[in-house]
Amino acid sequence: MKESNKVTASVTLGLLAAWALHDIEEVAAMGRWSREHVPVLRERRPGLLPDRVWDRLGSVDGREFAAAVGMMALVVGAAAVDGHRTGGRSGFYQASLTGFGLHGLVHMGQAAAVRGYTPGVVTSPLVVVPFSLWARGRLRRAGVLRPTRPRDALQGLALAGAAAAGANIAGRMLLRRLRCTR
């Protein structure tokens, strides 16, 4: 590997920075957006989701969501550090990078589906997708990017979804525990 093709910290640790910028938007918007828009969406698309999912989406607690984002920061931070430690070769880092980029596309699809703003859609085309493409290009030039097959893309997206679900559960549990100690 030529020195000019070395994977820099901006490529690996930059994942955490890009994620943080994106999630600042989500934290700032999620509580109010869900209270105002979920009832309208539920009425417009009855039967699209089970009632318990609609109920959960419509009652997003800002503190709970922020706690979930904090938990997710641990996952993304671990992936970024592992990527940095391995010069970008880490499978965990590369899958996380792929999942991050694809999840930006999901945000854009959600906004198109609801025909309006959804939390995360502003930073998706400005930060998430461009960073992911740029970082993948840097990994490719350095000769460390693993080929991405459709299965790999699905695994990256599944990793992002599973990590987000786990972070939501962990955030909820953390807040419950903190409330019990008061």
Side-chain angles (χ1 to χ4, degrees), residues 29-76:
M30 183 60 80
R32 182 176 178 188
W33 185 91
S34 67
R35 286 189 303 279
E36 291 176 2
H37 291 88
V38 168
V40 174
L41 294 171
R42 186 178 194 168
E43 188 176 305
R44 191 185 308 165
R45 305 267 187 182
L48 179 67
L49 298 172
D51 285 341
R52 63 180 166 63
V53 174
W54 281 120
D55 292 342
R56 181 83 182 119
L57 288 173
S59 64
V60 170
D61 175 86
R63 292 170 307 203
E64 202 171 281
F65 186 73
V69 167
M71 294 294 150
M72 192 66 181
L74 297 174
V75 175
V76 176

Side-chain angles (χ1 to χ4, degrees), residues 130-168:
F131 174 80
S132 299
L133 292 172
W134 173 80
R136 289 178 57 79
R138 295 297 299 255
L139 294 172
R140 187 178 302 106
R141 281 192 292 285
V144 299
L145 182 65
R146 297 170 184 198
T148 305
R149 302 168 302 220
R151 185 183 99 207
D152 300 322
L154 288 174
Q155 285 176 336
L157 198 52
L159 172 65
N168 277 292

